[in-house]
Amino acid sequence: MKVMAFNGSPRKNKWNTITLLKNALQGAKSAGAKAELVQLYDLNYSGCISCFACKKLSRKEDGVCAVKDDLTEVLNRVKEADALIIGTPVYYGVESAATRAFLERLCFPYLKYAKDMRSLFPRRINTSMIYTMNISEEMINQMGFDRTFATTKMMLGMHFGACELLLSTDTLQYSDYDKFEAEMFDKKAKYKRHEKVFPKDCKRAFELGVRMASGKVPEPEPIPKFDFK
Ligand SMILES: Cc1cc2nc3c(=O)[nH]c(=O)nc-3n(C[C@H](O)[C@H](O)[C@H](O)COP(=O)(O)O)c2cc1C
């Protein structure tokens, strides 16, 4: 059992997204899985360049992205993975730029433009998205972030296998709120929440990691039927 985790935060150590990912990987390891962590911000790569090489009828292999850069080797390793855990901060209501570019390159080569839109990924594996964000849980729907989360969940479910979401809200952005612009925040409440709630988020991440390593892949939610004609 091989679990791959991807950190889509440029803050590679100690901060919110990486801390949750590390907890998830510990959970996966505790369940006997081999774990790998990929720091997306260490890699030099682009998003999909719309070359459509992966859709050519004359292609030699399915599920291969023709773009050659630092992501190429990582995408090769995904072929052997049994679970994917993708962590990202929310930037302007969506995944970080590196995460978006990664998701495009990860998913599009496996998308078959067939009537049932089936995936070319040969197995069903567990997937999960860990989102960390500054806003509170109550604001997610008000600000429409739930649409982003639902779309990515559906996309991963369709290409690879059921996707679990873990949302960590009202995160700490700075270690010292007195040194940065922060007028709009209640810094005491932020510190308190980080102390009280973030450890619970870490525990949820650990448990998610255990589930990711279980090998039991639930059915993804059904994809709505689209008629492109
Ligand atoms: C460029 C940028 C844009 C952000 N946009 C949002 C946003 O739209 N909504 C939100 O809740 N938080 C936003 N944040 C805050 C981060 O999502 C939040 O602090 C996150 O937990 C940071 O993750 P990290 O500690 O792993 O880097 C933004 C932060 C940055 C740097």
Side-chain angles (χ1 to χ4, degrees):
M1 177 67 53
K2 184 182 153 192
V3 176
M4 286 182 84
F6 305 87
N7 180 23
S9 170
R11 302 204 284 185
K12 295 174 205 164
N13 299 303
K14 164 177 124 59
W15 280 96
N16 299 288
T17 312
I18 187 64
T19 303
L20 294 176
L21 281 171
K22 283 184 174 165
N23 275 278
L25 286 179
Q26 270 173 19
K29 280 188 203 159
S30 77
K34 283 198 187 118
E36 177 185 351
L37 172 68
V38 178
Q39 292 278 10
L40 292 177
Y41 278 87
D42 277 346
L43 307 177
N44 194 3
Y45 63 93
S46 73
C48 173
I49 60 164
S50 200
C51 67
F52 291 110
C54 61
K55 302 289 171 277
K56 272 200 175 144
L57 295 174
S58 61
R59 67 184 181 269
K60 294 210 165 53
E61 246 186 303
D62 285 336
V64 175
C65 178
V67 179
K68 299 298 168 222
D69 58 20
D70 287 359
L71 217 46
T72 307
E73 269 309 301
V74 174
L75 295 176
N76 280 342
R77 295 206 293 283
V78 166
K79 289 188 179 297
E80 311 300 323
D82 300 298
L84 307 176
I85 308 174
I86 302 168
T88 181
V90 171
Y91 285 176
Y92 290 102
V94 294
E95 295 86 5
S96 69
T99 309
R100 285 261 17 120
F102 170 64
L103 286 169
E104 289 170 8
R105 296 275 301 282
L106 173 73
C107 292
F108 200 59
Y110 292 115
L111 176 64
K112 185 163 169 69
Y113 280 153
K115 285 220 169 94
D116 58 359
M117 286 176 67
R118 81 190 157 83
S119 166
L120 291 166
F121 194 74
R123 295 166 293 124
R124 297 283 86 193
I125 62 172
N126 275 310
T127 63
S128 50
M129 288 295 304
I130 296 180
Y131 288 96
T132 73
M133 69 209 83
N134 187 44
I135 60 163
S136 65
E137 203 171 337
E138 298 74 53
M139 288 169 77
I140 290 176
N141 290 14
Q142 284 167 24
M143 299 191 74
F145 291 10
D146 53 328
R147 294 294 313 148
T148 300
F149 307 151
T151 303
T152 303
K153 180 182 162 89
M154 183 186 75
M155 195 170 79
L156 287 170
M158 182 170 84
H159 291 83
F160 297 98
C163 175
E164 196 177 319
L165 295 182
L166 190 154
L167 309 181
S168 176
T169 55
D170 203 354
T171 56
L172 199 71
Q173 292 205 80
Y174 316 128
S175 44
D176 185 349
Y177 274 69
D178 290 328
K179 291 197 175 141
F180 297 90
E181 232 169 56
E183 200 189 15
M184 67 188 279
F185 305 121
D186 177 346
K187 63 182 178 186
K188 279 198 187 128
K190 280 276 186 194
Y191 294 134
K192 199 166 162 204
R193 183 178 169 91
H194 185 70
E195 204 186 311
K196 291 257 150 56
V197 180
F198 194 66
K200 291 184 187 153
D201 293 346
C202 290
K203 186 166 176 284
R204 289 196 293 133
F206 182 94
E207 289 161 0
L208 176 143
V210 173
R211 285 191 295 281
M212 289 293 112
S214 71
K216 288 182 212 130
V217 188
E219 274 299 306
E221 282 164 29
I223 299 155
K225 285 263 176 241
F226 302 111
D227 190 357
F228 289 96
K229 290 196 184 112

